[in-house]
Amino acid sequence: MLNKVYTYLLLFILLIGCSSSTPVVEYEPSISKNATERMVFPNTMLYTLQGYNHVVNDHQTSLYVKDKSSAVLKVREDLIILNERGIERGRLQLFYDSFREIKAISGALYDFQGKLIRELDEDDIIDFPASSSYSLYEDNRVKEATLNYNQFPYGIRFEYEIELNGLLSVPGWYPQQFNEYVHQAGLHIETPDSVSIKIKEQNMPVNAQKNTSSNQRNIYSWELNKLEPVQHERFTNLREYNIPHVLLAAEEFEIDSYKGSFSSWKDFGLWYRKLNSGRQQLNEETRSEIDSLMQGLSGIENRARVIYKYLQENTRYISIQLGIGGWQTFPASFVEEKGYGDCKALTNFTFSIFEYAGIKAYPVLIKNGTSNAPIVDDFPSQQFNHVVLAVPDGERYIWLECTSQILPFGYISLSNADRYGLMITEEGGKLIHTPVFDQKVNYRSNNTKINVDENGDASIRTSTLSNGLFYEELLYAFDGKPESDHKSWLRNNYPINISDLLDFDASSYKKKEFPGTHSYAITTRSLVSKAGNRLFLPLNKLNTWDIEIGQNGDRTQDIDLRYTFTEIDSIQIQIPQGYYVESIPASEIIEKGFGTFSLKIRPETEFNTIHITRQLTLFRKKLSAEEFDALSSFIRDVKKADELEIVINKES
Amino acid sequence: MFIKSGKPIVKFLFIITFLQFISVLPQEGIAQVKKFGKVDKKEVGNTSIESPAEMIFNYGLFSIKDQQAYDLYRHIRIKVNTREGMNWASFSIPFNEDNGQSVLNIEGQSYTLNEKGKVEKTKLNEADIFVEDLPGDWKRVKFTMPNVKEGSVIEVKYNHRIGDPSLLPDWNFDSTIPVRWSELEAEIPSFLRFSLISRLKSELHINEAKDVSIKFKLDWDPELNRGSYGSSGERGRSWVNARGEKFRWAMKDLPALQKETNVSSLDNYYSKMFLQFTALDIPDQTYVDFAKTWRSISEELDDNVWFGRQLRSEKWSQSLVNSLINSTDDVETRISKIYSYVQSFNWSGLWDFYVDEDLEKVNNKKSGNSAELNLLLVKLFREAGFFSHPVLISTRDNGKLIKDYALPSQFNHVIARVAYQDTQYLLDVLNPYNSYMLPKENLNGEGLAVHEYEPEWVQLKEASSTSTTLKYDMELRTDGSLKGKATLSSKGYDALEMYKTMAEVGRDRFFKNSMSNEFDGEVTGRILKQPSFFEAELEMEIDYDSKGSSAEDSDGPNVIYLNPMMPKLISENPFKSDDRVLPIEFTNTFTRTSQVSIQIPNGYEVESLPEAKNINLPRRSLSYLESYSIDEGAIVIIRRLRIRSTEYSATDYPIIKQTFDDATGANEIRLILKKVDAE
């Protein structure tokens, strides 16, 4: 459940905290018991015919900004639940902490004629910590209210009021979720003249906005009607991208008496720097240790490598998020004393060491994760959930993920790669693009020797070189684990049954160098099929493309091929003496704008060997929805080619 | 189960197959638990990566503090070997304030080798200990040890106020990491009676008891305790010395218990000690029997406001039942109508065997926890004139019931039994299948049917047998493509599961997508029979025309290589590891058969057939066969897997693994067809 809570949280508000963040005032929201007797109930027949499980009949959000440090958010949502599969939508989750107080929640259930059945009561609400498993303590919590019924259709009205203390993070407006029809939705914002709000519409239809102003209050409002459901399709990784929404941010904000501005990335960076300044003091012991470590070392890279090793050996990641601590780092002395910290604390500690050693380094705020939308780079606002350290070395940056005790030096990691981050410099914030993880970085090459005997039993020896995402995956599987774990990893992940696992070597991963190499030797009875005197040798059964793309057609969204890769397989099959090749597939090359595939088969009869080379590359590209069919048939053709077999027969 | 006088009885239970008897000979006391703060320098540093962490010792002491309030004093020392093992440096201890519980006097220290090779001690700060509110009356204390690195030793001690002696937690000797020494001591004053029950995988290293004098605080009221503990006529508090016994149990060098596939609950395999509170016995004064027997538990529940009393007839439920069923309905229709009514309610996601809310309110809300929904079902069955009872059960992931240990907290769920004449059904509203067959998760030994007088043990078994037969009739075209008809007939869980998948995907999409992928081509399918509430059967028929070639021409035109698209009897072999420690469990027994018949094209003959296979375990508890034959111009391939037991010993593992490999078709076969006139 927490997982779901978590995704919801990310949609709603992103705080600087390695996981989520911020503090608490424990208090009970008042449940107002004055639901209207009736709810306007639409004709649901057409919705049912459309196959909907639920619809949002009306969604209204109002934001009343009082001053630079407070605002009230009021939401009313009318839902129509059409069948069992829609029940889940009747669960409302609200997050709170000391910057967000839930002032009131109310709810009511209506029958298909719009008549009140009952109101939400205390028993329908549960309250639990929202912290992720890595957290030691976080003060943000969840109130979850559930209403449901067993006669369809039925209606639900939720109303709630949240007070925002400080406008560092003004929640954006997302009136629609995936796979749901919204009949009408409205956003209403009122601000005093003294506070200006920045607004950015995303995927909004034209003419949705109607602004007015009166009596020193500015009023902004939007109205949306008949929003068709949006599906989450493969290869988008952009989540809310395709759903209409409005991003909001305060031009100027104040939180715990720290004043800041979102008028530019530069200004936001200055605020962040100020908030975290004066927290870099190292104690005598650390300083002398750093002194002795730095002795005789020259060059930024050499020194940075030693500092990163020092960090990894002496700290671990534990998250504590309390009050302003969701934004402000613990001082370096906290990490010195306890040997742990969250992303802010560990990055600040490392930053402090670099500062002491006289090496320039910059914290970089990141929106971490592999499946969320990139930050909106032309809308300075709080969009981050993580921080890493960048160390300039000549023309390039050395990237340090300070929360990891596993990643090698200078390795950005997939969940930080290929996106804009906000580098915090002396002059303020600057957007910087992190290294790209594409087919040039993500590569794997397998060198395989197969010996087949007359019974069809095979012994296989493979050596694999992995980089980028392939490397990262293996690093987590191998690091700090005994050989027995490495072996069971292979057994669990090998595409065919292993009879004997003779040898496994992943020692290169201990050295924390990339690309990594691992190799193994096994025997198997599941590779080759035998029929009479014939043996069937598969071209590629050991490194197949494990992807289900589905049927053609129906694609509506553009395709973003994000984590692309290159794979090279060189296979040498030794066939038994006295056998000849009876049937052999032709070599094949497929070249498309988004990828290439080649398969070359070359028998060497005098040595009883067959050489197979296979290469598959997918390019980092954006494709239109129409190109989906081409992509899908490419994948199918590759899979088909991989299934081909060579037939050898015994000489009579 | 309990005795009224004399020494408590130590009762031993054993886990099947791997265990030996315990000798009750007292052993020489070996102190393996060291004083807090006294850590041998040799323990620190020197890591081995064979396990992420190991417990150097885990010590617990149940002692009585005030009156009948128990404390658990705990002292744990752990060696952290790897980064992963650092998770063992974080603690989370739940407690229930409503039961008077608390966690006090937490002290912690870590021991880490510094750069100079010296052991550095770091204390856990009070300020780094957090208390978090959880739903209900629960809270948890959370803290993590400072300055932990690979090779660190950490040490923690605390007092956990447990309260009532009936709330003493079970003691697990082993853990998911290796345990070098695990020791539990328990002070039991003579006026408290316990049944001591153990379930152990190997011998206790120490098993001793000695007479002691136990000192504790007593608040007393002259009105209530006339004549006892002195004779002062005033209300007050004093220290009392009571005679009693101190038990000491220890095990050593316990390997890590690791989760393997096909194990319903790892909890079934821990070596455990249970202390069951049975009576307060002050000689010549008071004797209060707290002993639970299954009978007393049943009686109590039957009269409990949050259980049995909810089942009594009321106006609202009478009229509800009258509106649900017609007088002309037959018995089965009545049962299924009442079931469907409650089944349409929403489950809150919580497991319990007590209701939280009055059933009338549950009925209004149309949602409830597992007990609320199933007790409502029982109530409505009773209103409809059926003989119906709640049945307490422990679901599979909650662990097996230990029947010798009469403690209701072993249960986590309650289901409904409804009977008429000689027939009885066990029903669970949470059933994902809408069937009279219990969810597989409920098939866990026995359940306790709660009656007014004598409770009854009910077998939680498969209500009907599970099997699937797949028949493929294929015609091989000369271009290598296949065309034919497939029929599937399933019974029991196979039928329910397959039907559920179809319902989720949608019938059209099931045939159009899933099946056309399976057959690689055009598919039309129909359902001939679908499961109903009282009949778990599914039959369907599929016509397919595979566009993909399952055969390849050789370079010469005279030979066809055929891959006969064998259906899998098991979709994936879960048994991948090479060895096995724990028994292998299956939720239910089953038989799966496939029969593929391929018409040989005119003018062709089969060159050779693969060898038949036949695997059997003793008493045919498991059997597998694979046969190849030619019958009336068709190749006939039959495969059949029978699992007739729900638990197999680890020694059967290699055969089970091999069988499942065969049943998943891991070793693909090829058939060679030759032109007859080519010879």
Side-chain angles (χ1 to χ4, degrees):
Chain A
M1 182 156 67
L2 283 182
N3 234 339
K4 200 192 302 158
V5 168
Y6 186 52
T7 357
Y8 198 82
L9 175 71
L10 281 177
L11 261 180
F12 228 83
I13 178 171
L14 286 157
L15 302 172
I16 307 179
C18 313
S19 36
S20 50
S21 89
T22 6
V24 199
V25 178
E26 181 64 46
Y27 87 107
E28 285 303 308
S30 58
I31 293 184
S32 60
K33 280 267 193 182
N34 51 4
T36 49
E37 281 303 309
R38 302 202 69 85
M39 173 181 175
V40 181
F41 212 91
N43 183 344
T44 55
M45 208 169 72
L46 280 174
Y47 295 149
T48 306
L49 285 174
Q50 287 283 342
Y52 298 160
N53 300 321
H54 73 270
V55 297
V56 177
N57 200 39
D58 190 11
H59 178 112
Q60 296 297 331
T61 301
S62 311
L63 179 71
Y64 301 96
V65 179
K66 290 189 210 157
D67 51 44
K68 273 179 197 160
S69 56
S70 69
V72 174
L73 185 72
K74 288 185 177 178
V75 177
R76 194 190 71 220
E77 194 168 43
D78 285 356
L79 304 163
I80 306 297
I81 310 298
L82 297 162
N83 60 42
E84 274 190 353
R85 284 190 291 273
I87 290 175
E88 191 56 25
R89 189 64 170 81
R91 187 192 298 270
L92 173 74
Q93 289 179 329
L94 297 176
F95 292 80
Y96 68 95
D97 54 41
S98 66
F99 299 123
R100 293 164 66 91
E101 292 180 24
I102 301 170
K103 286 294 189 189
I105 306 177
S106 68
L109 194 66
Y110 298 87
D111 71 8
F112 71 102
Q113 293 171 315
K115 230 177 84 196
L116 179 69
I117 301 170
R118 68 180 191 88
E119 292 185 52
L120 188 78
D121 64 31
E122 286 293 344
D123 297 341
D124 300 318
I125 300 179
I126 53 169
D127 182 310
F128 54 91
S131 55
S132 52
S133 58
Y134 263 102
S135 257
L136 180 60
Y137 192 77
E138 289 181 17
D139 51 16
N140 47 335
R141 298 180 64 89
V142 183
K143 283 196 186 290
E144 183 181 283
T146 310
L147 277 174
N148 47 40
Y149 201 56
N150 69 337
Q151 278 154 39
F152 303 100
Y154 60 86
I156 292 175
R157 169 170 295 170
F158 281 124
E159 284 181 88
Y160 54 89
E161 195 178 314
I162 291 172
E163 190 166 297
L164 306 174
N165 306 321
L167 302 182
L168 178 52
S169 202
V170 180
W173 185 58
Y174 295 86
Q176 188 179 28
Q177 299 181 5
F178 276 112
N179 304 316
E180 77 180 12
Y181 173 82
V182 177
H183 181 66
Q184 70 178 35
L187 172 63
H188 177 92
I189 300 174
E190 279 189 46
T191 62
D193 268 350
S194 57
V195 181
S196 47
I197 284 279
K198 302 196 321 167
I199 292 163
K200 186 170 174 71
E201 297 184 358
Q202 302 266 79
N203 303 314
M204 293 283 281
V206 279
N207 302 329
Q209 191 180 1
K210 303 167 180 66
N211 297 347
T212 49
S213 63
S214 64
N215 283 344
Q216 287 115 46
R217 300 285 292 175
N218 302 311
I219 297 174
Y220 312 87
S221 56
W222 287 261
E223 232 181 81
L224 293 176
N225 289 295
K226 300 191 170 70
L227 300 177
E228 292 299 322
V230 177
Q231 320 287 333
H232 187 230
E233 293 179 325
R234 276 198 78 120
F235 302 116
T236 48
N237 283 332
L238 301 176
R239 293 221 166 247
E240 68 264 32
Y241 238 43
N242 302 299
I243 285 180
H245 58 278
V246 176
L247 298 176
L248 301 169
E251 193 81 45
E252 283 169 347
F253 59 88
E254 188 173 333
I255 192 159
D256 259 24
S257 76
Y258 288 94
K259 287 181 186 167
S261 161
F262 278 124
S263 51
S264 64
W265 286 119
K266 183 174 178 250
D267 285 354
F268 179 48
L270 284 173
W271 174 81
Y272 186 85
R273 195 175 160 85
K274 199 174 79 194
L275 179 71
N276 291 296
S277 66
R279 299 179 158 251
Q280 286 78 30
Q281 189 62 38
L282 298 170
N283 65 23
E284 185 50 46
E285 201 188 326
T286 313
R287 290 206 304 265
S288 69
E289 246 170 86
I290 298 301
D291 286 343
S292 71
L293 285 172
M294 293 296 104
Q295 228 160 39
L297 289 179
S298 64
I300 287 173
E301 186 180 331
N302 286 336
R303 288 187 291 164
R305 186 184 296 276
V306 171
I307 292 173
Y308 191 65
K309 183 163 180 265
Y310 175 80
L311 169 83
Q312 288 191 314
E313 283 174 357
N314 288 285
T315 64
R316 66 194 164 113
Y317 174 69
I318 293 279
S319 164
I320 302 175
Q321 318 267 343
L322 283 166
I324 191 76
W327 319 95
Q328 190 176 45
T329 176
F330 282 109
S333 58
F334 178 95
V335 179
E336 284 174 331
E337 186 194 325
K338 301 183 197 307
Y340 60 75
D342 67 353
C343 62
K344 297 184 298 297
L346 294 171
T347 303
N348 177 62
F349 174 66
T350 319
F351 172 72
S352 311
I353 297 174
F354 276 99
E355 199 177 59
Y356 175 72
I359 304 168
K360 273 221 172 331
Y362 304 109
V364 177
L365 302 181
I366 288 277
K367 183 173 175 184
N368 175 276
T370 52
S371 62
N372 42 27
I375 65 157
V376 181
D377 55 12
D378 59 357
F379 189 70
S381 58
Q382 185 356 59
Q383 300 183 50
F384 308 99
N385 62 358
H386 189 48
V387 57
V388 298
L389 199 66
V391 183
D393 182 17
E395 291 291 291
R396 64 170 190 139
Y397 287 96
I398 298 167
W399 293 91
L400 301 177
E401 169 53 87
C402 302
T403 62
S404 174
Q405 285 72 49
I406 292 175
L407 294 176
F409 169 72
Y411 189 84
I412 182 75
S413 98
L414 194 62
S415 58
N416 294 324
D418 198 359
R419 67 196 68 203
Y420 279 110
L422 187 67
M423 187 154 81
I424 310 296
T425 72
E426 300 87 339
E427 295 90 42
K430 273 183 203 162
L431 284 185
I432 178 172
H433 203 271
T434 60
V436 174
F437 264 40
D438 63 4
Q439 66 282 354
K440 289 186 218 97
V441 177
N442 305 320
Y443 64 83
R444 169 161 68 189
S445 81
N446 295 305
N447 211 320
T448 302
K449 288 204 164 74
I450 303 173
N451 249 304
V452 178
D453 73 13
E454 294 199 9
N455 299 318
D457 294 354
S459 60
I460 301 175
R461 189 170 279 279
T462 294
S463 164
T464 300
L465 190 73
S466 307
N467 199 50
L469 61 88
F470 297 113
Y471 171 78
E472 202 170 322
E473 190 189 329
L474 294 178
L475 182 66
Y476 284 110
F478 297 153
D479 184 71
K481 305 243 166 74
E483 199 186 290
S484 57
D485 282 19
H486 294 167
K487 286 186 169 173
S488 46
W489 173 86
L490 188 70
R491 280 190 185 276
N492 288 326
N493 290 283
Y494 208 59
I496 60 172
N497 287 308
I498 294 173
S499 305
D500 289 309
L501 207 174
L502 307 171
D503 179 40
F504 191 97
D505 179 19
S507 53
S508 125
Y509 284 83
K510 255 191 227 147
K511 293 182 209 134
K512 299 285 170 73
E513 283 165 7
F514 53 97
T517 316
H518 72 282
S519 59
Y520 50 85
I522 62 136
T523 65
T524 180
R525 258 167 238 126
S526 302
L527 183 71
V528 176
S529 301
K530 184 175 193 284
N533 285 332
R534 289 183 178 82
L535 295 173
F536 292 75
L537 317 173
L539 286 188
N540 176 26
K541 211 175 181 179
L542 302 178
N543 183 29
T544 53
W545 198 1
D546 210 2
I547 188 171
E548 281 302 329
I549 181 135
Q551 303 291 309
N552 290 354
D554 302 344
R555 177 78 188 195
T556 62
Q557 291 152 24
D558 289 350
I559 299 154
D560 184 17
L561 295 175
R562 203 165 166 193
Y563 302 112
T564 53
F565 59 87
T566 298
E567 282 181 344
I568 299 166
D569 283 87
S570 314
I571 305 162
Q572 183 189 317
I573 306 176
Q574 189 76 41
I575 63 172
Q577 283 288 338
Y579 277 72
Y580 66 95
V581 174
E582 187 178 84
S583 163
I584 194 159
S587 294
E588 198 169 339
I589 295 176
I590 310 171
E591 281 179 343
K592 298 276 181 228
F594 46 77
T596 61
F597 175 73
S598 77
L599 192 62
K600 288 181 194 139
I601 308 139
R602 185 170 54 88
E604 267 185 349
T605 34
E606 65 269 40
F607 301 114
N608 281 323
T609 53
I610 301 165
H611 297 272
I612 301 166
T613 48
R614 173 187 181 270
Q615 186 188 333
L616 172 63
T617 305
L618 207 57
F619 301 119
R620 173 101 173 75
K621 273 219 156 148
K622 289 198 168 142
L623 309 176
S624 69
E626 291 74 46
E627 286 171 281
F628 183 81
D629 286 359
L631 178 66
S632 124
S633 60
F634 175 71
I635 292 173
R636 251 197 303 276
D637 289 347
V638 170
K639 285 180 146 190
K640 212 154 243 175
D642 278 344
E643 278 170 13
L644 295 174
E645 292 177 325
I646 301 164
V647 184
I648 59 174
N649 201 347
K650 204 171 191 170
E651 281 159 11
S652 40
Chain B
M1 272 314 293
F2 64 97
I3 45 169
K4 292 189 177 175
S5 58
K7 289 190 174 185
I9 285 179
V10 181
K11 194 162 186 166
F12 296 100
L13 300 174
F14 299 93
I15 308 180
I16 3 94
T17 67
F18 45 104
L19 318 173
Q20 341 158 10
F21 261 92
I22 291 173
S23 64
V24 196
L25 291 174
Q27 307 242 356
E28 213 172 298
I30 304 162
Q32 288 290 337
V33 180
K34 303 283 188 334
K35 249 195 166 154
F36 190 87
K38 293 236 162 177
V39 169
D40 191 341
K41 198 189 155 189
K42 279 179 285 179
E43 290 281 10
V44 187
N46 295 327
T47 61
S48 132
I49 57 164
E50 287 308 312
S51 64
E54 57 190 307
M55 262 188 219
I56 298 170
F57 60 76
N58 181 13
Y59 172 79
L61 167 66
F62 289 133
S63 67
I64 192 144
K65 285 276 147 45
D66 310 330
Q67 308 199 70
Q68 286 132 39
Y70 260 99
D71 264 21
L72 166 61
Y73 165 75
R74 200 123 188 242
H75 184 187
I76 307 164
R77 192 177 286 178
I78 293 169
K79 170 78 179 282
V80 172
N81 286 324
T82 69
R83 288 280 160 192
E84 192 189 336
M86 288 180 189
N87 292 334
W88 289 87
S90 293
F91 293 78
S92 168
I93 310 160
F95 62 94
N96 190 314
E97 264 190 338
D98 218 37
N99 289 338
Q101 297 186 344
S102 56
V103 179
L104 299 167
N105 309 328
I106 301 168
E107 276 182 60
Q109 200 151 263
S110 69
Y111 308 85
T112 303
L113 271 194
N114 68 13
E115 280 71 11
K116 295 171 191 108
K118 285 238 166 71
V119 176
E120 210 172 87
K121 289 186 193 178
T122 315
K123 270 206 161 81
L124 170 71
N125 278 340
E126 187 88 34
D128 296 328
I129 300 171
F130 299 92
V131 180
E132 195 168 60
D133 288 332
L134 299 176
D137 301 313
W138 289 88
K139 288 183 184 236
R140 68 181 164 211
V141 171
K142 289 176 92 180
F143 55 92
T144 194
M145 300 302 296
N147 197 16
V148 176
K149 298 174 189 171
E150 288 177 3
S152 292
V153 168
I154 58 158
E155 177 167 49
V156 166
K157 63 176 185 176
Y158 58 85
N159 273 305
H160 189 168
R161 169 57 59 93
I162 306 289
D164 193 294
S166 66
L167 297 174
L168 291 186
D170 309 338
W171 183 262
N172 284 0
F173 287 97
D174 41 1
S175 171
T176 51
I177 51 173
V179 177
R180 282 193 230 160
W181 184 266
S182 179
E183 176 176 336
L184 175 65
E185 289 194 287
E187 285 180 3
I188 300 181
S190 57
F191 61 86
L192 295 182
R193 302 254 162 249
F194 281 87
S195 279
L196 307 176
I197 300 160
S198 70
R199 188 190 67 189
L200 304 166
K201 278 179 290 197
S202 58
E203 233 169 276
L204 279 172
H205 184 66
I206 290 173
N207 179 16
E208 53 186 39
K210 59 179 181 208
D211 292 333
V212 288
S213 163
I214 299 166
K215 194 177 167 192
F216 61 95
K217 253 190 306 193
L218 183 77
D219 291 316
W220 50 276
D221 182 335
E223 288 305 308
L224 295 176
N225 301 319
R226 199 177 300 275
S228 60
Y229 306 116
S231 54
S232 157
E234 281 168 50
R235 191 184 257 274
R237 161 178 286 198
S238 61
W239 287 92
V240 172
N241 274 307
R243 280 191 317 105
E245 273 179 299
K246 189 171 188 178
F247 291 85
R248 182 168 179 236
W249 303 286
M251 293 180 85
K252 65 169 191 171
D253 299 329
L254 304 166
L257 193 58
Q258 256 142 22
K259 176 92 176 141
E260 294 176 304
T261 176
N262 287 56
V263 168
S264 55
S265 169
L266 200 56
D267 196 56
N268 293 336
Y269 302 101
Y270 283 106
S271 286
K272 273 175 183 283
M273 182 68 77
F274 310 88
L275 284 84
Q276 188 187 2
F277 180 51
T278 57
L280 176 67
D281 178 9
I282 303 166
D284 308 322
Q285 299 292 327
T286 326
Y287 181 85
V288 189
D289 190 357
F290 290 100
K292 303 259 196 255
T293 62
W294 293 118
R295 183 182 174 148
S296 70
I297 288 167
S298 170
E299 274 172 6
E300 271 169 39
L301 281 171
D302 191 60
D303 193 41
N304 190 300
V305 193
W306 305 109
F307 196 91
R309 289 204 197 180
Q310 294 288 330
L311 300 173
R312 294 174 189 175
S313 180
E314 286 175 90
K315 272 217 177 83
W316 67 267
S317 46
Q318 276 167 18
S319 55
L320 173 61
V321 165
N322 289 336
S323 71
L324 288 176
I325 56 179
N326 299 323
S327 52
T328 51
D329 289 341
D330 63 22
V331 171
E332 294 199 333
T333 311
R334 286 173 200 215
I335 292 176
S336 63
K337 273 184 171 175
I338 291 173
Y339 179 87
S340 318
Y341 173 74
V342 186
Q343 203 258 341
S344 75
F345 285 30
N346 294 295
W347 174 42
S348 66
L350 300 174
W351 297 92
D352 208 334
F353 60 92
Y354 286 116
V355 303
D356 262 347
E357 278 179 327
D358 206 68
L359 289 186
E360 186 172 8
K361 198 169 176 198
V362 171
N363 185 53
N364 290 335
K365 279 197 169 180
K366 317 292 181 201
S367 77
N369 69 25
S370 70
E372 286 160 358
L373 299 185
N374 279 325
L375 290 181
L376 178 61
L377 190 61
V378 172
K379 185 183 181 100
L380 298 185
F381 281 142
R382 287 186 181 179
E383 293 286 17
F386 288 104
F387 187 66
S388 178
H389 292 97
V391 178
L392 295 167
I393 68 163
S394 168
T395 55
R396 293 182 73 90
D397 62 355
N398 191 53
K400 279 179 197 153
L401 186 75
I402 298 164
K403 261 171 88 177
D404 291 313
Y405 184 38
L407 205 65
S409 60
Q410 292 191 70
F411 299 114
N412 66 331
H413 187 35
V414 58
I415 58 174
R417 181 176 66 161
V418 59
Y420 67 94
Q421 292 163 358
D422 294 339
T423 317
Q424 68 161 31
Y425 296 107
L426 292 172
L427 302 177
D428 183 354
V429 186
L430 307 190
N431 199 336
Y433 302 133
N434 197 19
S435 164
Y436 76 107
M437 289 187 78
L438 280 177
K440 289 177 177 182
E441 183 52 32
N442 292 5
L443 306 178
N444 194 22
E446 286 176 284
L448 185 74
V450 175
H451 280 229
E452 223 167 317
Y453 306 108
E454 195 61 38
E456 197 185 330
W457 288 102
V458 177
Q459 296 283 329
L460 304 169
K461 279 206 208 141
E462 310 151 45
S464 91
S465 62
T466 293
S467 67
T468 292
T469 302
L470 280 159
K471 279 192 185 153
Y472 285 16
D473 284 310
M474 309 180 184
E475 188 188 304
L476 175 65
R477 301 204 193 90
T478 40
D479 67 353
S481 66
L482 290 165
K483 190 184 140 169
K485 181 174 286 220
T487 57
L488 170 143
S489 68
S490 284
K491 287 184 175 150
Y493 289 115
D494 279 359
L496 298 174
E497 224 148 75
M498 171 81 87
Y499 189 68
K500 186 167 168 272
T501 313
M502 282 174 79
E504 276 165 8
V505 182
R507 212 175 270 203
D508 282 354
R509 279 182 59 195
F510 175 80
F511 287 117
K512 224 169 97 183
N513 295 354
S514 315
M515 286 299 110
S516 58
N517 271 346
E518 185 87 20
F519 287 97
D520 192 19
E522 290 290 307
V523 160
T524 54
R526 336 167 245 293
I527 292 179
L528 305 177
K529 187 172 197 177
Q530 66 186 57
S532 64
F533 188 74
F534 285 106
E535 201 175 36
E537 287 184 28
L538 176 69
E539 278 175 32
M540 62 183 175
E541 201 174 65
I542 291 164
D543 292 315
Y544 58 89
D545 197 340
S546 302
K547 54 175 183 261
S549 170
S550 59
E552 293 156 29
D553 275 330
S554 67
D555 289 341
N558 301 325
V559 182
I560 300 174
Y561 309 130
L562 177 65
N563 175 0
M565 296 207 317
M566 292 299 298
K568 292 180 171 184
L569 300 182
I570 300 284
S571 60
E572 204 197 335
N573 188 356
F575 306 112
K576 301 217 193 276
S577 102
D578 209 16
D579 43 21
R580 178 87 186 185
V581 177
L582 301 176
I584 301 127
E585 300 174 30
F586 292 94
T587 52
N588 58 289
T589 61
F590 58 88
T591 301
R592 302 237 174 97
T593 311
S594 73
Q595 184 179 329
V596 173
S597 150
I598 307 159
Q599 207 62 45
I600 303 167
N602 273 337
Y604 281 85
E605 65 178 17
V606 179
E607 196 184 73
S608 72
L609 288 175
E611 274 170 42
K613 281 184 189 164
N614 203 342
I615 301 174
N616 280 300
L617 275 177
R619 292 181 303 284
R620 298 182 67 82
S621 66
L622 172 148
S623 67
Y624 177 75
L625 73 82
E626 197 174 300
S627 79
Y628 301 88
S629 60
I630 293 179
D631 185 30
E632 294 181 7
I635 307 162
V636 179
I637 306 169
I638 296 172
R639 287 179 176 176
R640 175 176 297 127
L641 171 68
R642 279 208 168 110
I643 297 290
R644 291 174 131 155
S645 169
T646 51
E647 190 168 308
Y648 294 86
S649 133
T651 52
D652 292 334
Y653 182 73
I655 290 175
I656 294 176
K657 181 171 151 68
Q658 177 60 51
T659 306
F660 273 62
D661 272 351
D662 289 333
T664 50
N667 306 315
E668 289 178 17
I669 57 157
R670 295 289 181 276
L671 299 168
I672 312 282
L673 302 183
K674 260 190 338 189
K675 256 208 174 124
V676 182
D677 52 359
E679 288 294 308

